[in-house]
Amino acid sequence: MATNAESLRKILELEHKKGYVDSAVIGGLDRFLLNWAGQAVESITSPHLLNRLHKLHLVNSSYASLTKQQRKDWVKGVLDFLAEVEPKEDEKGEAKLTPVVSRPPSKARVQRTVVSQSIDSPITAARGISSSLATKFNKLGVKTIRDLLYFFPHRHLDYSQRKSISQLTEGEEETIIANVWQAQEIRLGGRRSTEAIVGDETGNVRVVWFNNPYLAKKLVTNTRLVISGRVSLFNGRHVFESPEWEFVEDRELIHTGRLVPLYSLTQGLHPRQVRKLIKEVVDQWAWQVEDFLSPELKKRCNLLELPQAISQAHYPDDKIARDTARVRLAFDELFLLQLGVLNKKRDWQESQPGSPFSTKIPMLDTFLRSLPFELTAAQQRVLEELLADLQKPQPMSRLLQGEVGSGKTVVATAALLVAAANGYQGALMAPTEILAEQHFTTICQLLSRVGHQEEGEDYLHSYSGLLPHPLTVALLIGDINQVRKQELQQRILDGDIDIVIGTHALIQKGVEFCRLRLAVVDEQHRFGVTQRSALRQKGFSPHILVMTATPIPRTLALTLYGDLDLSVIDQLPPGRQVIKTKWLKPGQRDSAYAFIRRQAASNCQTFIICPLVEESEAIQARAAIAEYERLSREVFPDLRLGLLHGRMSASEKDKVMRRFRSGELDILVSTPVVEVGIDVPGATVMLVESADRFGLSQLHQFRGRVGRGQEQSYCMLLAQNPSEIARQRLDIIEKIQDGFALAEEDLRLRGPGEFFGTRQSGLPDLRMAKLSDVGLLELARREAIRLFEKDSALEKPEHKLLAKELARVWPEAGEWS
Ligand code: ADP
Ligand code: MG
């Protein structure tokens, strides 16, 4: 039983080294022991030894259920027994059950204790990292040892379940432990490769490594190997093709037989090499990472210690350990993000004096009373929130969320009037020119109910009777001719114009304001930190209101826009209907057209959305122009069709929109430009072509374009060949009307990366955190606020490490360093 004894001893020693956590052997000790004891019994001839062995109860051991102390005692007992029964040197090799060629022990690992090096030293400080290797790592953004510790695998291969050769299943990722019977160099597809036959007690299997002839020499007959990889079938027999492999030694496995990390690498870095390096660096340095979270916080939030989390994120004991590690690391990211954002907010609020507005303005009441409808309770509440902000000396920074059609514009208009009444300028910015024009029209219409419109031009309207001077509203878009534009810009600079409406280009260079104190940004959820600070440069710290119909889940909004306060119009004006939504199979196209025709007969209009302007190979979608022509000629020759796409000039677009809005057109064929904001009360049908290409939030936006009037409205979605995930989306949009519920689903399906790139928002990257970790997000935010309330400058001694960490991840927030 010599070899058996030796392998058991090694495992128990490893178990001892690892602190009795039952991690020395894949699948747990109990399973191993059962197997081991079975083999041992067969090979033991002395009844005396057999008796002693039985007393150890290895066959029905219950190591897993022992306490730590019991495990310790038990391991010691077995080791003592083994010491007794292990053969003398000269007997070695004779009684082996499974022959093993002993390999020279790998170079003893020397613990380097060079004092001058820290985890912030360049990676060359780590053993085995040459400067040329370091250059390759640098390309991955890994410069210091800390970077390497935080260079987490993008996923793990699960090679933790060992199979015997007879249990292998074709197509599965499997792990075996086997002996090399024979290994040789062969030619496969003209390339020098290695072929080996390996076996265990249940059978043999062929293993090939393409393109790697050198392995043949390493795989000496009788060597014991762990092999992990996908099993395929060749000539009716199982074969491993270029699997991961490593020798069975008393070292921890890193490529096989466990959860094996996969790193995103660059040219010149090889997975095995990187795994080996990272394992060494993790073993040697992870414990030196200072844990910047206080013990109380960790306890309260049930978080792992940082060094442990780092090492388990690379080489987890099991899936649970990996997930627990991720939670800790993700928490760190979100928590630091929150602290950074909170700090930024305090920063600009305190350092930049705003302009408090007076909000007791008779004109505001007149305006609100003149509206053709009453504000909903939600609009009322949000308006009050805005007014409260505007009165404060700190500039407002508020995100206004409201479902499509919830009436954000009128609330924004009220705020703009308050700015004007205070003698300041206000700006309203939309993502597209069409939308800017629509806002201009809407606001002018509302104002003409209360004020007297003076002589005006297309882009400039004045209303008297509201303020001591005529209230002037201008539209500034790329379409106006140069001379007029310059004239407008000059008047904006002179302070002649109270309210400027335009696209986001307003915040770009060229437009100077005289006294901009309120900026409203419409329909923009990608209006990140950077843009906001650009805007702050424009005016003397203007109040900022960002409006979006993309219903971002609250926690997500708070994370990414943590520097903004949040207002939500969570109620639609009365009488809004449920829009009947149907996902149509390709065969139902004709009945969709028949439906559109019937609607047109009762004066109801239709949007038809096509994904692209030009035919494109990549996307098999119908081009709007071709579609427009086809529909006009072949399908609806008797109806009035219009075309809208992004390559038309703004005035052409405007003309078409006007005709559609006023009912001169029955059908508007459009590219997705119509996505946001456009308001046509007479439209009752939305037909979306290639609906499978759009995300849920986008589809919801399209749907929001109809149902603005009294008539029942419909949304029809056509999809040629939807993928599985697209099918799920289409199912969901059919069933769910509520934008917020849809956003949650969207987030779940698409993941936050696509839903909401953090990059655009100007915030640090999240590596471990997923924005769908709602619970963790909330926790991190709560803890950040709690900390911020107690010690916002992080001056207390117990927050020193945290302050240091923050200064590292948010270097621009100076006062923490
Ligand atoms: P969104 O929030 O999508 O920007 P809008 O501001 O464009 O919505 O408003 C959508 C439509 O609802 C507009 O025609 C607007 O006049 C109308 N509206 C806004 N508020 C109300 C209200 N309280 N009652 C009835 N209709 C309203
Ligand atoms: Mg709007």
Side-chain angles (χ1 to χ4, degrees):
M1 66 174 284
T3 304
N4 266 344
E6 193 182 324
S7 66
L8 178 57
R9 182 175 53 73
K10 280 183 176 170
I11 281 168
L12 292 181
E13 279 167 3
L14 186 63
E15 179 65 13
H16 160 75
K17 221 164 67 191
K18 289 185 146 197
Y20 307 100
V21 289
D22 201 5
S23 63
V25 62
I26 313 150
L29 259 180
D30 287 321
R31 187 134 49 104
F32 173 85
L33 289 167
L34 179 64
N35 213 345
W36 184 91
Q39 293 180 24
V41 169
E42 282 169 28
S43 67
I44 292 178
T45 42
S46 144
H48 166 69
L49 280 181
L50 210 53
N51 203 12
R52 293 217 27 209
L53 185 72
H54 281 308
K55 283 199 180 140
L56 290 170
H57 294 293
L58 296 184
V59 186
N60 53 0
S61 61
S62 46
Y63 187 80
S65 61
L66 299 183
T67 66
K68 199 159 178 172
Q69 188 57 46
Q70 287 170 326
R71 287 180 177 186
K72 213 166 154 179
D73 297 341
W74 184 89
V75 166
K76 186 167 178 307
V78 180
L79 282 173
D80 287 348
F81 167 76
L82 291 175
E84 260 178 70
V85 302
E86 270 210 287
K88 311 282 167 295
E89 258 329 285
D90 52 329
E91 290 170 68
K92 240 184 180 174
E94 287 179 18
K96 282 177 183 173
L97 280 179
T98 40
V100 162
V101 166
S102 60
R103 295 165 39 80
S106 55
K107 253 190 269 164
R109 266 188 282 174
V110 219
Q111 282 289 317
R112 299 223 312 191
T113 41
V114 185
V115 185
S116 63
Q117 280 165 354
S118 75
I119 64 164
D120 290 308
S121 303
I123 48 174
T124 43
R127 201 160 63 92
I129 301 189
S130 64
S131 61
S132 80
L133 201 55
T135 317
K136 288 170 192 157
F137 272 113
N138 288 351
K139 285 203 188 111
L140 296 166
V142 176
K143 304 210 164 69
T144 64
I145 295 199
R146 183 196 299 274
D147 294 339
L148 198 56
L149 290 173
Y150 274 86
F151 183 66
F152 296 117
H154 57 89
R155 67 190 185 97
H156 289 90
L157 287 173
D158 186 358
Y159 289 151
S160 62
Q161 302 308 315
R162 186 193 157 185
K163 290 279 178 66
S164 60
I165 288 177
S166 65
Q167 292 171 318
L168 293 179
T169 312
E170 184 204 344
E172 298 290 312
E173 304 270 7
E174 310 265 43
T175 292
I176 57 168
I177 299 182
N179 295 304
V180 178
W181 296 136
Q182 127 190 11
Q184 61 187 9
E185 186 185 325
I186 58 163
R187 291 193 87 81
L188 287 172
R191 305 203 173 229
R192 297 174 59 205
S193 306
T194 292
E195 178 191 65
I197 304 297
V198 302
D200 65 10
E201 54 283 2
T202 68
N204 297 337
V205 67
R206 182 168 165 258
V207 188
V208 293
W209 284 273
F210 298 109
N211 242 340
N212 188 350
Y214 312 104
L215 207 50
K217 295 205 179 52
K218 285 197 202 168
L219 303 181
V220 178
T221 299
N222 284 341
T223 321
R224 234 163 131 62
L225 289 185
V226 190
I227 289 172
S228 290
R230 190 176 297 280
V231 178
S232 35
L233 213 57
F234 184 74
N235 283 344
R237 322 202 67 140
H238 286 150
V239 58
F240 282 99
E241 291 178 338
S242 299
E244 287 291 348
W245 67 276
E246 64 196 298
F247 294 113
V248 181
E249 294 171 278
D250 59 353
R251 276 196 301 155
E252 248 182 283
L253 295 174
I254 60 173
H255 308 296
T256 60
R258 60 169 308 140
L259 290 176
V260 175
L262 286 184
Y263 296 95
S264 307
L265 299 178
T266 177
Q267 262 220 322
L269 287 175
H270 307 290
R272 288 176 76 87
Q273 165 198 33
V274 170
R275 278 202 283 267
K276 189 159 162 287
L277 281 173
I278 290 187
K279 181 75 173 85
E280 283 183 15
V281 168
V282 167
D283 283 349
Q284 199 176 341
W285 297 86
W287 60 273
Q288 298 189 44
V289 178
E290 290 173 311
D291 200 334
F292 50 84
L293 295 184
S294 70
E296 301 81 61
L297 192 157
K298 272 178 289 191
K299 188 146 174 264
R300 195 164 52 233
C301 303
N302 209 358
L303 296 169
L304 211 59
E305 299 293 327
L306 186 52
Q308 217 179 332
I310 290 174
S311 92
Q312 290 292 317
H314 289 279
Y315 286 94
D317 291 340
D318 51 38
K319 286 185 179 164
I320 294 174
R322 177 190 60 192
D323 295 344
T324 324
R326 191 191 71 80
V327 166
R328 161 68 210 253
L329 296 163
F331 178 89
D332 286 359
E333 290 174 352
L334 296 170
F335 182 63
L336 293 168
L337 185 90
Q338 282 301 310
L339 284 175
V341 159
L342 288 173
N343 185 57
K344 267 203 172 152
K345 177 175 177 179
R346 185 200 55 177
D347 221 30
W348 60 255
Q349 281 198 337
E350 284 178 5
S351 66
Q352 304 189 324
S355 312
F357 291 179
S358 156
T359 55
K360 301 234 171 338
I361 292 162
M363 191 255 279
L364 181 61
D365 297 327
T366 320
F367 170 75
L368 294 175
R369 270 199 309 274
S370 78
L371 292 174
F373 44 75
E374 260 188 57
L375 291 187
T376 61
Q379 283 172 312
Q380 197 86 49
R381 188 192 65 234
V382 167
L383 180 59
E384 275 158 25
E385 286 167 359
L386 296 189
L387 294 178
D389 276 5
L390 294 174
Q391 292 174 50
K392 289 184 191 156
Q394 301 91 6
M396 168 173 80
S397 212
R398 194 167 274 281
L399 177 65
L400 170 52
Q401 282 190 16
E403 176 73 281
V404 191
S406 60
K408 297 182 289 292
T409 318
V410 62
V411 176
T413 307
L416 289 165
L417 290 180
V418 171
N422 276 271
Y424 295 128
Q425 287 174 308
L428 172 58
M429 287 167 281
T432 65
E433 302 209 329
I434 297 189
L435 272 176
E437 288 162 37
Q438 179 179 300
H439 280 318
F440 181 69
T441 314
T442 309
I443 289 178
C444 289
Q445 264 167 13
L446 292 175
L447 287 177
S448 63
R449 301 172 72 98
V450 272
H452 173 70
Q453 189 181 341
E454 312 215 313
E455 284 298 290
E457 317 165 42
D458 284 357
Y459 300 104
L460 190 70
H461 289 176
S462 295
Y463 300 88
S464 58
L466 296 167
L467 299 175
H469 65 276
L471 174 74
T472 312
V473 185
L475 175 66
L476 187 65
I477 51 176
D479 202 34
I480 7 179
N481 79 47
Q482 212 49 37
V483 180
R484 299 272 297 285
K485 202 188 308 184
Q486 268 166 14
E487 197 186 315
L488 268 184
Q489 289 183 1
Q490 188 57 48
R491 292 187 63 179
I492 293 171
L493 180 60
D494 292 343
D496 228 17
I497 293 172
D498 301 292
I499 297 174
V500 185
I501 298 168
T503 62
H504 295 151
L506 275 186
I507 63 164
Q508 284 152 14
K509 282 200 202 79
V511 186
E512 300 283 343
F513 287 84
C514 171
R515 39 174 204 282
L516 179 67
R517 295 293 191 282
L518 171 64
V520 181
V521 186
D522 188 28
E523 300 295 358
Q524 192 55 297
H525 64 279
R526 296 245 157 104
F527 197 77
V529 175
T530 330
Q531 287 93 328
R532 291 200 291 279
S533 48
L535 194 52
R536 291 204 179 94
Q537 318 291 321
K538 282 278 152 188
F540 188 68
S541 307
H543 296 287
I544 294 178
L545 177 67
V546 179
M547 305 199 290
T548 180
T550 306
I552 311 161
R554 185 180 178 87
T555 37
L556 182 51
L558 288 177
T559 299
L560 296 170
Y561 291 127
D563 61 329
L564 299 182
D565 296 307
L566 187 59
S567 287
V568 183
I569 303 185
D570 50 5
Q571 178 183 22
L572 291 178
R576 285 284 152 79
Q577 28 157 317
V578 168
I579 297 156
K580 294 188 175 159
T581 305
K582 189 126 181 55
W583 164 27
L584 304 177
K585 308 292 173 297
Q588 293 173 289
R589 178 183 297 275
D590 285 341
S591 56
Y593 289 155
F595 182 77
I596 291 172
R597 182 182 298 286
R598 284 201 300 279
Q599 289 281 307
S602 45
N603 285 328
C604 291
Q605 298 160 285
T606 296
F607 283 104
I608 296 181
I609 306 290
C610 314
L612 280 179
V613 177
E614 301 287 357
E615 199 77 55
S616 139
E617 285 174 3
I619 306 172
Q620 297 291 316
R622 289 161 190 278
I625 297 170
E627 183 67 355
Y628 166 74
E629 284 168 0
R630 187 185 74 87
L631 289 170
S632 310
R633 228 179 13 244
E634 295 167 20
V635 187
F636 302 114
D638 50 330
L639 298 183
R640 300 160 300 169
L641 274 68
L643 171 66
L644 187 74
H645 62 70
R647 299 203 182 160
M648 292 161 59
S649 75
S651 67
E652 284 173 316
K653 284 189 270 192
D654 188 45
K655 219 161 89 194
V656 175
M657 274 317 296
R658 250 189 261 262
R659 290 180 64 207
F660 190 52
R661 204 178 323 198
S662 65
E664 282 173 50
L665 298 173
D666 299 304
I667 298 173
L668 184 68
V669 180
S670 170
T671 56
V673 274
V674 81
E675 181 187 347
V676 274
I678 307 267
D679 200 7
V680 182
T684 56
V685 183
M686 167 61 65
L687 174 71
V688 183
E689 290 278 354
S690 301
D692 50 326
R693 298 189 189 288
F694 297 103
L696 278 176
S697 295
Q698 230 177 341
L699 290 173
H700 183 62
Q701 289 282 342
F702 290 142
R703 179 165 64 183
R705 307 279 59 88
V706 296
R708 297 291 180 118
Q710 300 306 311
E711 305 300 320
Q712 173 62 51
S713 294
Y714 306 87
C715 178
M716 303 191 284
L717 306 167
L718 278 165
Q720 206 69 38
N721 226 334
S723 65
E724 184 47 42
I725 190 114
R727 272 168 206 279
Q728 288 182 29
R729 279 205 298 273
L730 294 168
D731 274 340
I732 289 169
I733 190 104
E734 267 191 342
K735 290 191 201 97
I736 302 183
Q737 289 277 328
D738 174 44
F740 279 84
L742 279 174
E744 304 272 3
E745 289 293 330
D746 207 12
L747 194 60
R748 194 176 60 77
L749 286 178
R750 284 201 290 170
E754 269 180 80
F755 180 82
F756 208 113
T758 46
R759 224 151 269 171
Q760 281 108 331
S761 55
L763 299 171
D765 258 1
L766 302 177
R767 296 188 201 180
M768 293 304 246
K770 301 184 204 130
L771 292 176
S772 48
D773 292 338
V774 176
L776 198 61
L777 266 166
E778 275 167 0
L779 185 68
R781 182 165 172 86
R782 259 200 321 273
E783 288 294 335
I785 290 172
R786 181 180 184 139
L787 180 76
F788 209 73
E789 277 167 0
K790 274 197 294 198
D791 182 18
S792 70
L794 303 184
E795 283 160 346
K796 295 195 176 152
E798 66 266 34
H799 296 145
K800 237 180 80 193
L801 281 177
L802 184 56
K804 215 165 106 188
E805 185 67 11
L806 261 171
R808 261 190 347 93
V809 297
W810 287 84
E812 69 274 32
E815 73 263 39
W816 274 322
S817 33

